[in-house]
Amino acid sequence: MASFVELLEPILDDLYRYARRLERDPIAAEDLLQDGLLRGLRKHGQLREAITFRVWMTRVLRTTSINRSQKRTELAMAEDDVQRIGPDLRPVRSPEDFVGDVRLGERISLALDDLPPDRREAVWLVDGLGFSFTEAAIVLDQPVGTVASRVSRARSALRHHLRSDALERGVIG
């Protein structure tokens, strides 16, 4: 079996882009990626042959993100019991976020941010990172049909959002 580093090298950029999508803040994304890579390195021996390293490592990164998010929520609630933190709380987007989203384009990125989290994540895995529905289902730990439905609904919402934006800007009539 190839070494962890050999397997990691061709997918590292995709993992970073996924971390950026999950965290939105470049520094938090780098921290998430580092934590995920350490976790992946420690668990590399548990990799099953049935799934590709890319899918497995993306799932490790997602699990790391979920665990970090839960810890942050617990910490914030412990600091101030009066302050309630909802699951849809979105951080304010910084200028650095827009620079990082150049590949997709600012409008698409903003449209993605408006999607419900489950649809946003599914469409990002399939359309943003090129995962198959089956691979995305493994990463998300959801049935393939659920992932396909979420991607379909996300694409429809993105089309509607981008069409409305194009109409407002006079790009289309």
Side-chain angles (χ1 to χ4, degrees):
M1 189 176 219
S3 78
F4 183 78
V5 173
E6 290 171 336
L7 293 169
L8 183 64
E9 203 169 302
I11 65 167
L12 192 56
D13 287 342
D14 282 346
L15 290 173
Y16 176 71
R17 282 192 295 276
Y18 186 51
R20 280 295 306 267
R21 191 75 347 238
L22 292 171
E23 288 291 337
R24 302 228 176 33
D25 173 55
I27 294 170
E30 289 173 7
D31 289 344
L32 170 61
L33 182 60
Q34 182 178 353
D35 289 350
L37 294 177
L38 288 172
R39 185 175 183 173
L41 180 61
R42 282 194 300 267
K43 296 184 177 271
H44 182 240
Q46 298 174 6
L47 176 62
R48 295 182 315 226
E49 295 292 326
I51 63 173
T52 67
F53 180 75
R54 180 176 183 242
V55 171
W56 180 79
M57 198 58 224
T58 303
R59 185 172 177 150
V60 167
L61 189 62
R62 180 177 187 267
T63 302
T64 303
S65 174
I66 290 168
N67 292 342
R68 286 170 49 110
S69 178
Q70 288 171 344
K71 286 178 186 173
R72 279 193 305 257
T73 301
E74 290 167 7
L75 243 134
M77 292 178 88
E79 286 176 8
D80 186 3
D81 290 339
V82 177
Q83 180 184 10
R84 291 187 152 291
I85 300 199
D88 291 336
L89 184 66
R90 296 182 189 165
V92 176
R93 293 180 53 90
S94 69
E96 291 83 16
D97 290 331
F98 290 105
V99 172
D101 289 339
V102 167
R103 187 167 178 186
L104 284 179
E106 184 178 320
R107 301 223 184 297
I108 295 172
S109 181
L110 291 171
L112 279 167
D113 288 345
D114 286 341
L115 293 174
D118 57 344
R119 292 179 190 173
R120 178 176 51 237
E121 193 169 18
V123 78
W124 179 254
L125 287 170
V126 173
D127 293 339
L129 295 178
F131 280 82
S132 69
F133 287 116
T134 303
E135 291 170 330
I138 292 168
V139 170
L140 298 173
D141 196 24
Q142 295 289 322
V144 175
T146 300
V147 172
S149 173
R150 288 177 181 172
V151 169
S152 175
R153 290 178 180 167
R155 286 175 178 166
S156 177
L158 288 171
R159 271 191 302 274
H160 176 75
H161 183 90
L162 295 171
R163 187 177 191 317
S164 296
D165 186 56
L167 284 169
E168 285 177 20
R169 301 177 126 259
V171 175
I172 58 175

